[in-house]
Amino acid sequence: MAVSASCTTLLCNFHSSTVASLSPSLCGAESSSSRPYSLNSCLTSSSAVACAGSRRASIVDHCFCRSRSKNRWLLASSEVFGAFTEGGFCLREWNLRWVVVQKRPNPNLGFKIRATGSTIEAKPANNMPNEPSSSSSSSSENNNGTAEGVDNGKDRLAKVPVANIRNFSIIAHIDHGKSTLADKLLQSTGTVLARDMKEQFLDNMDLERERGITIKLQAARMRYVDKTGEPYCLNLIDTPGHVDFSYEVSRSLAACEGALLVVDASQGVEAQTLANVYLALESNLEIIPVLNKIDLPGADPERIRKEIEEIIGLDCSEAILCSAKEGIGIVEILESIVKKVPPPKDTTKEPLRALIFDSYYDQYRGVIVYFRVMDGKVKEGDVVQFMASGKEYEVGEVGVLSPVQMPVKELFAGEVGYLAASIRSVADARVGDTITLSRVKAEKALPGYQEATPMVFCGLFPVDADQFAELREALERLQLNDAALQFEPETSSAMGFGFRCGFLGLLHMDIVQERLEREYNLNLITTAPSVVYRVHCVDGSVVECSNPSALPEAGKRKEIEEPYVRIELLTPKDYIGSLMELAQERRGEFKEMKFITENRASLVYSLPLGEMVGDFFDQLKSRSKGYASMEYSVTGYKESKLVRLDILINEEIVDPLAVIVHRDKAYGVGRALTQKLKKLIPRQLFKIPIQACIGSKVIASEAITPMRKDVLAKCYGGDITRKKKLLKKQAEGKKRMKSVGRVEVPQDAFMAILRLEKEVV
Amino acid sequence: MRSMTHAFHSVLFFPFSRFQLRFLTTHDRQIRVLHGSLMRGCCSMHLSSAFSSRHPHVTSTLPQLTSKPFVRSLFSSSSSSLLSFEVVSTEVSSKPSAAMSVWSETADNDSERNLYPISELLPSSAYVHIPFCRRRCFYCDFPIVAVGERTEGTSTHMDARMANYVDLLCREIRVAASANPSRPLKTLFFGGGTPSLLPIPLLLRIIQALDSSFGIAAGAEISIEMDPGTFDVQSLRQTLEGGVTRVSMGVQSFSSELLKACGRAHGLNEVYAAIDAIKGSGLKNWSLDLISSLPHQTLFQWEHSLQEAVAAGPSHISIYDLQIEEGTLFNRWYKAGESPLPSDDVSATFYTTASSILTNAGFEHYEISNYAKEGLQCKHNLVYWNNLPHFAFGLGSTSYVDHKRFARPRKFNLYADFVESFETSGGQIDFPESSLEERILDTVMLSLRLATGLNLQQFKQQFGTTVAAIVCKALFPFASSGYVAVLNANKQPISAEILLDHSLPLAYTGGASLAHSDSEVAAFVHLTDPKGFLLSNEVISSIFSALPSGSSYLISSELLQRYGCKRDILV
């Protein structure tokens, strides 16, 4: 089969810079227009392209492919990229061996994917990030400059001496452009071809890309040939930017020798920048400051340079000015990594020690572990031991991440890669654990391993009781991948069966909830988040309690301790007042304030974690118009005057609505909750008292007057069907009610009150 | 022993391999048992014991069960009056719910026992919709055609339009009569719209068409809705001479501001003139409509309207609590229960005020919204509330014939198209029958609107013990809190606890003397006036939500599969 002429031309038009690397793997497309375009000759390589010529192109996320041998439809999901054309489209896929590209008369109308019997409509995306028209002008120079580098990409699996390995990560505050910079590095080293580039390549969860945050770590091996022609192997280890995941950040930093500190050239240093820089300094990393987004009109690199020097005390004279978006400064960054970041120690001869910085569960291969080999070497067939869990497995596959998994024979000290060993759960191979060989064990595990301890808890209940089993299954599956997630079954009269779940922090909680709802199609009610309280009982015992309804009775308690955090807020000076107010409202204890620059201040408070689990972060953002940032770390437990506030509906305690609050706030919270409930619970046949109580003392009370009228006045021949529909709807509503004693409470009321609790508690 | 006057009308068969039929006769109130066995498509029955001595053998061949499980089988028999019989599965009786009952009635006008035949009684009622109005009232969402005031300029056009509509009506009537077996009409209702806008000759044409197609029984109730300002004593007399026996007049309020506020086409003067016209015509059987809970309405205004209504001397009064319907101007302007509409509590007071004033004035509160002097209830509307079949003709009207509750198009052109195709199809309406489940809901919803309430015994016979027990259980909390009253067969109130008695013994509802145990059997449940009526939705929807949806509780799916029946046709 010959490559059709139009194909080649089209590709040239699209990606003039990438043609060279593509050509060898170009596959043939049958040019017959009536038949589907088929690709079968050269899918052995990692990429294949089929196309039918035309002018317009766009990226599609899905298309349908059919395995020719089995005549089965396969879903080629977002991994498949097609450049849309009139009358056909290019397709690229590396998992399917046989691909048939169906020609469609008008692809702009979208087309169907048929997979396992279901039909999904896919629409072409509106814009293609690397469309020639938009990128050619800005990146042509860059493309030319790195065309050579791109070409190196295909040799990236080649081994280099340990002295030529550079392991680095990027640390940055959210939105400072870390992921975009990573993308550009991958692109300019030819690790990912421009054509395959999704924005923020390393964030491969939909949720990550949508929220613009990195949750799970990724890594990428790149090949860079410097100006003298010396090849280097660069391993980028991406880190999550959020405080909830600071443990994971510290582990991935521990796997590196250097770090790029990316700071937004207009916004400057933020709270999380600081937190992560300190982590990096603790790990003795070489830090290369990079001022990003210099193309923005508000960029003031000089000011930011000074800011970094003042706050962090880092020499910024050689800070690199860059714009990841525009491709400015990328080469300089690569050069500087090679020059400044020290190579790993060559300890290949020593017994294997590899640090796990990430792991995830793969349905077919078990847990895939991402690690950095610190000492020794590891290869397929080795029996390895995870030193913290003690579990042993035989390595089925080792490879590098570049950024897709590519198997290699062996990994040496200094290298970064993955292994698959049919590991059953991420709990067996947790982040921070050390891998060693079971035959030649290392003497000591690498330092810094910690069990993940959940700090925030909440109850998760399915809206529809039938989904309980599904929820359990979903949580189990998430847990395979997320060792920090804890859950245990919980029952409540009002909410039915559910789970009490523990999370690392608020973002973690949010993300888990969202993934449950999105990826597992569950409809959930969440109770107000709470923290772990430490209750000292009269009999001298200490009970840890995260569930308000499980709090020992008042008579048995001597005191309650709650976790405190040290919270650091970085804010422009205009908002200092309102943030101090916020911290004070949340029982914050002022520690210190310093001006880090003329206009920006750092506020440090000691604050109960319980006060932070509500909407603190939202409040922080809204009161500072989005400019303030925060970082916190748990400092320990402290005694507080806490009480359990019970909500009674018709004299029955509603467990999931119970909250633990500070005594001074109990009245306000009680009033707010009872008033809201009064509005939410429909009138019933009898009078319903609603009370908020501390122990047996009622501190707020409302009453719902009995319903007096609910009648359809007219009902004659023509009305019967319609009136019956109304009554059926009403009956449906009743079925969705949860009963609290004799009172029927709509599900919505619970949800609304739980939302309110998050705000007022 | 009285011989059975009517044959079994129907036997609702059920694909059990073996079954029993239990008969209840009026003669000796004893249950006779009939054993039967059902082979695919064929049924044979053997009467047992005393019964069988007279009728040793009855065999009936049923059509293929798979084709239609609802089998009508006509038995000719001349035994003692048969009140009911019940099919009890013997072999597949793992669930008591599998018991289905069938019954047939003995006499047509067996009002004492309040037995209406469930299905096979042929319709003897008709509703005719006359959609023309001068203007649309602000609360109204009926299918109407606003034609404006009749003036010299408009009257020709208007007449032509109405004549055109009456043509369509008459065509529909004739086709319906030719396609459906029927009896002479006992009730006929001209609703609207404003039927009194129709020129009398056109009205007479419709009546004649009905008479020639169905026949109109002697003493039939023929009602017509009339609006003040659309008739005088003259035209009313002509209407009455044409056969109309009852007038329902839409007054709505005795306050001129409120009449204006709800967009009525008439004022207070026309109301009084219309009352005088009715009095002048000598008509005794007439009804007056009022609407409560109008915007800005005060209790004082409401009491005044009620007193004026009583003073007008109608034999029947309908009180409608204003309902804000979608698509009306009121819906755009107001929200139910919020100012300027009275709050729910005030509306409730209006309702109870009406109930006490009218009851004191000698009216019986026989339905949620209706009051009548003794014996002058609206027979036509009772047909609806007793869930009996009825014909309906005209724009947007709903008929209930052959268990098909069919609503005609609400748009004029579409209605004309409908009549066209109705004619071409020879009177066939391609519309599904109401399922058994729907019929249960209909029965509950409609009968609880009436002061007489739900006849539990009849309900049980119709729909089985399980369903009846569910309903009783759902009613219990309301009965124990005074929203629902439970009566025995003698209409004596009895304790609500009876409703929880799952066995629901079959009470014998006829005859003069009651056995002692029968007095402790729940025979009727009804909503109390006014407390229960006011919360009728709450009560009815609670029953609805207690009834499992789908007919699964009646028929297990394995059985359906075994016999290759689809669930939706088993109804």
Side-chain angles (χ1 to χ4, degrees):
Chain A
M1 247 178 291
V3 175
S4 76
S6 65
C7 239
T8 327
T9 322
L10 179 72
L11 280 166
C12 289
N13 287 341
F14 276 180
H15 314 290
S16 48
S17 64
T18 58
V19 170
S21 63
L22 269 172
S23 305
S25 60
L26 249 179
C27 76
E30 287 171 293
S31 52
S32 153
S33 60
S34 60
R35 290 175 54 192
Y37 290 82
S38 61
L39 317 165
N40 56 6
S41 61
C42 43
L43 282 158
T44 44
S45 76
S46 68
S47 70
V49 175
C51 70
S54 181
R55 280 152 284 132
R56 290 182 46 206
S58 62
I59 280 194
V60 292
D61 247 10
H62 302 271
C63 63
F64 62 79
C65 303
R66 188 164 60 178
S67 128
R68 183 186 261 191
S69 51
K70 291 185 181 159
N71 202 26
R72 236 175 49 201
W73 291 96
L74 294 172
L75 172 62
S77 68
S78 53
E79 296 303 318
V80 179
F81 285 48
F84 242 129
T85 63
E86 285 163 14
F89 56 88
C90 320
L91 178 103
R92 186 189 173 289
E93 229 306 282
W94 54 76
N95 288 328
L96 301 175
R97 303 205 40 198
W98 303 100
V99 183
V100 177
V101 184
Q102 197 89 30
K103 194 176 153 156
R104 302 285 295 189
N106 185 359
N108 292 327
L109 295 177
F111 53 96
K112 285 178 180 166
I113 315 162
R114 301 230 316 252
T116 57
S118 62
T119 302
I120 306 160
E121 254 324 56
K123 291 227 167 86
N126 291 331
N127 55 348
M128 176 173 161
N130 294 297
E131 233 172 308
S133 58
S134 64
S135 63
S136 60
S137 58
S138 60
S139 59
S140 59
E141 189 191 339
N142 179 47
N143 281 345
N144 291 339
T146 55
E148 218 180 316
V150 168
D151 210 16
N152 291 327
K154 61 183 186 292
D155 299 326
R156 61 193 190 269
L157 296 191
K159 297 280 180 197
V160 296
V162 175
N164 284 7
I165 295 177
R166 299 289 183 270
N167 293 323
F168 70 101
S169 67
I170 308 178
I171 51 186
H173 188 74
I174 286 177
D175 271 355
H176 280 196
K178 183 180 65 170
S179 296
T180 317
L181 177 60
D183 288 351
K184 261 306 184 293
L185 293 175
L186 296 184
Q187 230 174 303
S188 58
T189 53
T191 313
V192 177
L193 299 176
R195 191 169 28 75
D196 307 333
M197 200 67 206
K198 286 183 273 193
E199 260 178 280
Q200 310 194 347
F201 201 93
L202 295 188
D203 297 346
N204 63 6
M205 254 190 272
D206 277 352
L207 197 60
E208 288 182 326
R209 210 166 293 138
E210 221 165 85
R211 289 192 164 201
I213 50 169
T214 306
I215 303 163
K216 298 295 285 182
L217 307 173
Q218 292 281 313
R221 177 183 175 123
M222 298 173 274
R223 186 179 174 89
Y224 177 69
V225 181
D226 76 354
K227 283 171 184 158
T228 61
E230 185 72 15
Y232 287 89
C233 169
L234 309 184
N235 288 310
L236 162 62
I237 297 169
D238 200 14
T239 60
H242 196 273
V243 282
D244 279 4
F245 304 99
S246 65
Y247 172 66
E248 298 195 8
V249 176
S250 77
R251 292 302 84 203
S252 55
L253 291 178
C256 303
E257 281 81 28
L260 297 176
L261 168 65
V262 178
V263 180
D264 187 315
S266 54
Q267 288 183 16
V269 176
E270 296 284 359
Q272 280 161 33
T273 325
L274 281 182
N276 289 345
V277 167
Y278 293 138
L279 282 176
L281 289 172
E282 272 169 35
S283 313
N284 275 326
L285 300 195
E286 177 66 35
I287 294 174
I288 303 172
V290 173
L291 302 180
N292 193 12
K293 305 196 188 180
I294 54 159
D295 58 308
L296 290 186
D300 186 356
E302 282 318 303
R303 178 173 61 85
I304 305 303
R305 208 190 285 252
K306 247 168 68 195
E307 202 174 291
I308 298 174
E309 284 180 351
E310 276 169 26
I311 302 171
I312 308 172
L314 213 59
D315 178 15
C316 278
S317 55
E318 288 182 34
I320 300 163
L321 300 185
C322 118
S323 163
K325 193 167 155 250
E326 298 296 328
I328 303 166
I330 303 297
V331 180
E332 288 78 357
I333 291 174
L334 289 168
E335 278 293 320
S336 140
I337 290 169
V338 168
K339 250 188 254 155
K340 290 190 176 165
V341 175
K345 281 189 217 111
D346 188 355
T347 51
T348 314
K349 302 262 163 8
E350 290 176 25
L352 172 70
R353 284 202 303 175
L355 174 68
I356 301 177
F357 60 83
D358 191 21
S359 61
Y360 76 92
Y361 183 79
D362 179 294
Q363 218 181 324
Y364 303 106
R365 300 187 293 167
V367 176
I368 307 291
V369 179
Y370 291 179
F371 59 91
R372 146 87 193 266
V373 185
M374 306 304 275
D375 307 315
K377 57 189 175 186
V378 61
K379 63 175 189 301
E380 193 185 314
D382 282 349
V383 177
V384 292
Q385 189 191 49
F386 296 92
M387 295 179 82
S389 67
K391 295 274 164 54
E392 292 196 359
Y393 288 99
E394 188 188 324
V395 177
E397 181 182 325
V398 287
V400 296
L401 298 148
S402 187
V404 289
Q405 293 173 5
M406 296 174 147
V408 297
K409 286 214 178 70
E410 219 172 357
L411 288 173
F412 295 98
E415 286 189 295
V416 172
Y418 71 93
L419 67 79
S422 308
I423 303 164
R424 277 180 290 279
S425 152
V426 280
D428 290 352
R430 284 179 190 249
V431 171
D433 201 349
T434 303
I435 308 172
T436 190
L437 290 179
S438 71
R439 128 182 99 72
V440 203
K441 284 199 186 77
E443 274 174 28
K444 243 175 83 186
L446 294 159
Y449 175 74
Q450 279 174 15
E451 287 269 348
T453 42
M455 294 306 300
V456 180
F457 289 81
C458 81
L460 288 179
F461 294 88
V463 170
D464 178 358
D466 299 346
Q467 285 192 327
F468 175 75
E470 284 169 59
L471 174 61
R472 185 176 51 210
E473 196 180 314
L475 282 168
E476 278 166 1
R477 293 178 75 172
L478 284 183
Q479 199 181 38
L480 285 177
N481 220 343
D482 183 350
L485 172 68
Q486 290 185 358
F487 61 91
E488 58 183 40
E490 188 181 19
T491 335
S492 124
S493 55
M495 320 276 276
F497 294 97
F499 292 94
R500 185 124 201 117
C501 305
F503 309 95
L504 289 175
L506 298 174
L507 182 74
H508 187 212
M509 177 172 81
D510 255 19
I511 284 166
V512 169
Q513 284 170 10
E514 207 166 323
R515 289 187 66 184
L516 286 171
E517 297 199 335
R518 200 188 287 202
E519 295 170 27
Y520 297 90
N521 268 329
L522 296 166
N523 208 348
L524 299 174
I525 314 176
T526 57
T527 63
S530 75
V531 298
V532 185
Y533 297 96
R534 205 175 274 167
V535 186
H536 293 268
C537 297
V538 184
D539 60 7
S541 62
V542 179
V543 181
E544 294 218 326
C545 167
S546 69
N547 189 348
S549 56
L551 196 71
E553 278 165 41
K556 292 184 183 159
R557 308 194 292 252
K558 207 161 70 192
E559 59 178 49
I560 304 179
E561 287 183 337
E562 62 176 333
Y564 267 70
V565 293
R566 176 190 183 276
I567 181 167
E568 182 167 10
L569 310 169
L570 287 198
T571 172
K573 68 170 189 242
D574 297 356
Y575 308 112
I576 293 174
S578 52
L579 291 192
M580 287 178 94
E581 212 172 88
L582 170 68
Q584 233 100 59
E585 275 170 26
R586 304 300 168 106
R587 298 191 280 132
E589 192 185 307
F590 179 77
K591 289 289 182 198
E592 66 172 322
M593 175 169 88
K594 54 186 179 201
F595 275 85
I596 50 179
T597 61
E598 217 172 288
N599 279 319
R600 284 157 58 80
S602 139
L603 290 169
V604 178
Y605 274 86
S606 169
L607 191 85
L609 178 62
E611 292 286 339
M612 246 187 61
V613 297
D615 63 340
F616 187 86
F617 187 69
D618 295 342
Q619 282 293 323
L620 174 86
K621 284 294 178 190
S622 75
R623 292 190 191 198
S624 65
K625 303 211 164 75
Y627 284 109
S629 57
M630 63 173 254
E631 196 273 324
Y632 69 87
S633 51
V634 178
T635 48
Y637 277 78
K638 244 198 218 170
E639 194 205 330
S640 280
K641 287 178 179 158
L642 297 169
V643 292
R644 185 175 81 196
L645 184 66
D646 288 321
I647 300 294
L648 282 77
I649 297 176
N650 202 26
E651 278 148 26
E652 284 207 31
I653 292 183
V654 189
D655 279 343
L657 298 186
V659 280
I660 296 175
V661 285
H662 194 261
R663 197 158 59 198
D664 298 347
K665 286 184 146 190
Y667 292 90
V669 171
R671 215 168 22 246
L673 294 181
T674 48
Q675 278 169 1
K676 183 87 178 177
L677 273 172
K678 184 187 176 181
K679 280 191 206 134
L680 292 169
I681 299 178
R683 298 166 84 186
Q684 295 179 26
L685 298 177
F686 43 88
K687 183 178 166 184
I688 308 165
I690 296 173
Q691 296 155 315
C693 299
I694 300 173
S696 57
K697 189 174 147 212
V698 178
I699 59 162
S701 161
E702 296 281 344
I704 298 170
T705 53
M707 162 168 57
R708 283 198 58 201
K709 192 198 95 169
D710 185 9
V711 59
L712 291 164
K714 262 190 171 184
C715 185
Y716 297 106
D719 304 320
I720 291 168
T721 310
R722 217 151 45 102
K723 300 283 148 89
K724 188 167 62 182
K725 220 181 240 171
L726 285 175
L727 290 166
K728 274 182 173 173
K729 207 170 146 194
Q730 199 168 337
E732 272 310 306
K734 282 189 188 300
K735 284 185 188 167
R736 281 197 301 274
M737 300 265 197
K738 302 268 182 182
S739 41
V740 175
R742 288 161 68 210
V743 184
E744 302 201 312
V745 183
Q747 191 94 60
D748 299 353
F750 281 114
M751 294 204 235
I753 208 80
L754 291 170
R755 266 199 300 278
L756 180 70
E757 279 185 354
K758 285 171 203 166
E759 283 160 30
V760 295
V761 173
Chain B
M1 185 189 290
R2 197 153 54 100
S3 70
M4 189 171 164
T5 51
H6 282 255
F8 273 96
H9 277 304
S10 75
V11 176
L12 201 150
F13 264 115
F14 201 55
F16 289 123
S17 53
R18 271 170 186 280
F19 59 88
Q20 291 180 340
L21 291 182
R22 267 194 285 171
F23 286 80
L24 182 69
T25 65
T26 47
H27 174 59
D28 50 10
R29 285 179 242 147
Q30 273 183 16
I31 290 170
R32 307 283 177 195
V33 179
L34 181 146
H35 292 284
S37 63
L38 194 72
M39 308 305 290
R40 284 186 177 276
C42 180
C43 166
S44 69
M45 285 184 268
H46 308 274
L47 298 178
S48 68
S49 66
F51 213 32
S52 59
S53 62
R54 224 163 288 124
H55 305 278
H57 194 100
V58 182
T59 307
S60 165
T61 306
L62 301 180
Q64 278 294 323
L65 274 168
T66 45
S67 66
K68 202 172 184 190
F70 190 121
V71 179
R72 282 176 209 174
S73 168
L74 286 167
F75 293 62
S76 281
S77 168
S78 56
S79 67
S80 63
S81 290
L82 204 56
L83 271 180
S84 68
F85 70 95
E86 189 176 14
V87 185
V88 183
S89 147
T90 53
E91 292 214 332
V92 205
S93 60
S94 55
K95 283 179 191 157
S97 62
M100 297 268 293
S101 77
V102 211
W103 68 288
S104 178
E105 64 148 9
T106 53
D108 241 352
N109 47 3
D110 203 339
S111 61
E112 186 198 287
R113 283 199 289 276
N114 201 10
L115 282 179
Y116 287 93
I118 38 165
S119 54
E120 298 313 308
L121 191 63
L122 299 170
S124 62
S125 298
Y127 173 81
V128 180
H129 191 71
I130 309 293
F132 308 104
C133 278
R134 285 169 289 176
R135 56 191 280 192
R136 186 182 277 279
C137 304
F138 301 155
Y139 53 79
C140 170
D141 74 333
F142 271 53
I144 66 144
V145 177
V147 293
E149 294 293 335
R150 181 179 285 273
T151 61
E152 275 189 28
T154 59
S155 84
T156 334
H157 174 70
M158 211 184 270
D159 284 345
R161 196 167 179 187
M162 291 183 184
N164 187 12
Y165 178 72
V166 171
D167 283 345
L168 281 172
L169 269 181
C170 293
R171 280 162 65 191
E172 194 195 351
I173 289 167
R174 279 188 204 103
V175 180
S178 69
N180 296 287
S182 66
R183 299 180 296 171
L185 299 175
K186 287 186 202 151
T187 75
L188 174 56
F189 197 100
F190 289 94
T194 312
S196 51
L197 279 180
L198 203 64
I200 288 154
L202 289 179
L203 180 70
L204 297 182
R205 255 185 70 194
I206 304 172
I207 296 177
Q208 272 153 20
L210 287 163
D211 194 21
S212 61
S213 306
F214 297 101
I216 293 178
E221 176 194 271
I222 303 181
S223 304
I224 184 167
E225 289 181 346
M226 299 185 99
D227 267 12
T230 61
F231 68 97
D232 53 24
V233 71
Q234 213 89 40
S235 62
L236 179 57
R237 279 204 185 110
Q238 286 172 358
T239 308
L240 298 176
E241 279 158 19
V244 170
T245 64
R246 185 176 178 275
V247 165
S248 167
M249 185 162 71
V251 171
Q252 319 311 8
S253 176
F254 282 92
S255 141
S256 45
E257 306 95 80
L258 289 180
L259 286 176
K260 212 178 237 171
C262 53
R264 296 290 292 174
H266 60 84
L268 206 48
N269 293 337
E270 283 93 341
V271 169
Y272 287 113
I275 292 169
D276 289 343
I278 291 177
K279 283 182 175 164
S281 74
L283 178 70
K284 292 279 174 280
N285 189 1
W286 70 283
S287 174
L288 187 152
D289 291 358
L290 289 179
I291 300 181
S292 66
S293 306
L294 288 168
H296 302 290
Q297 192 170 33
T298 61
L299 187 57
F300 178 78
Q301 276 173 325
W302 178 235
E303 283 173 343
H304 171 73
S305 277
L306 287 167
Q307 279 148 9
E308 289 296 295
V310 171
S315 58
H316 185 285
I317 296 179
S318 299
I319 307 288
Y320 301 121
D321 180 61
L322 178 71
Q323 253 158 324
I324 304 294
E325 302 286 357
E326 257 175 60
T328 61
L329 283 170
F330 269 13
N331 186 45
R332 207 182 301 166
W333 298 337
Y334 309 125
K335 200 161 175 270
E338 288 178 16
S339 178
L341 296 181
S343 69
D344 279 1
D345 286 350
V346 174
S347 298
T349 311
F350 287 173
Y351 188 90
T352 50
T353 308
S355 176
S356 70
I357 289 182
L358 297 180
T359 312
N360 287 337
F363 289 90
E364 185 204 350
H365 194 175
Y366 76 101
E367 194 258 0
I368 286 179
S369 304
N370 287 281
Y371 298 81
K373 290 275 168 73
E374 209 191 331
L376 291 169
Q377 302 173 344
C378 179
K379 292 195 185 95
H380 182 83
N381 289 340
L382 281 168
V383 166
Y384 300 140
W385 299 320
N386 284 309
N387 202 19
L388 295 175
H390 54 87
F391 290 106
F393 307 105
L395 194 66
S397 63
T398 304
S399 55
Y400 185 45
V401 179
D402 273 349
H403 292 301
K404 294 173 180 174
R405 204 178 282 287
F406 174 73
R408 279 145 198 75
R410 291 165 67 95
K411 291 261 187 302
F412 200 93
N413 291 343
L414 295 177
Y415 172 65
D417 293 348
F418 160 76
V419 173
E420 203 69 48
S421 65
F422 191 53
E423 266 179 346
T424 12
S425 69
Q428 291 306 305
I429 289 178
D430 187 19
F431 194 77
E433 285 183 11
S434 301
S435 64
L436 189 55
E437 185 201 353
E438 294 299 319
R439 278 185 242 167
I440 293 170
L441 300 184
D442 288 345
T443 308
V444 168
M445 170 179 109
L446 294 168
S447 64
L448 286 178
R449 295 189 68 87
L450 290 168
T452 46
L454 177 65
N455 183 334
L456 281 177
Q457 297 302 321
Q458 185 187 316
F459 185 78
K460 183 184 159 189
Q461 286 160 2
Q462 260 176 276
F463 303 113
T465 317
T466 312
V467 177
I470 293 172
V471 171
C472 288
K473 200 177 160 212
L475 280 168
F476 174 72
F478 298 102
S480 49
S481 49
Y483 296 93
V484 165
V486 187
L487 306 180
N488 65 13
N490 252 5
K491 306 262 171 120
Q492 297 302 314
I494 50 175
S495 151
E497 309 291 326
I498 294 293
L499 291 175
L500 294 181
D501 181 2
H502 290 290
S503 61
L504 273 183
L506 202 67
Y508 174 60
T509 53
S513 67
L514 275 172
H516 176 69
S517 63
D518 282 358
S519 67
E520 288 303 311
V521 168
F524 297 93
V525 278
H526 69 85
L527 295 172
T528 52
D529 176 21
K531 200 176 156 189
F533 276 153
L534 263 171
L535 289 175
S536 54
N537 288 358
E538 181 66 19
V539 179
I540 296 167
S541 60
S542 296
I543 300 175
F544 278 20
S545 71
L547 287 166
S549 51
S551 37
S552 52
Y553 54 99
L554 290 168
I555 301 138
S556 73
S557 39
E558 300 97 79
L559 271 171
L560 289 176
Q561 273 169 10
R562 194 186 308 165
Y563 290 93
C565 302
K566 278 196 202 146
R567 169 152 294 157
D568 51 351
I569 57 166
L570 232 171
V571 286

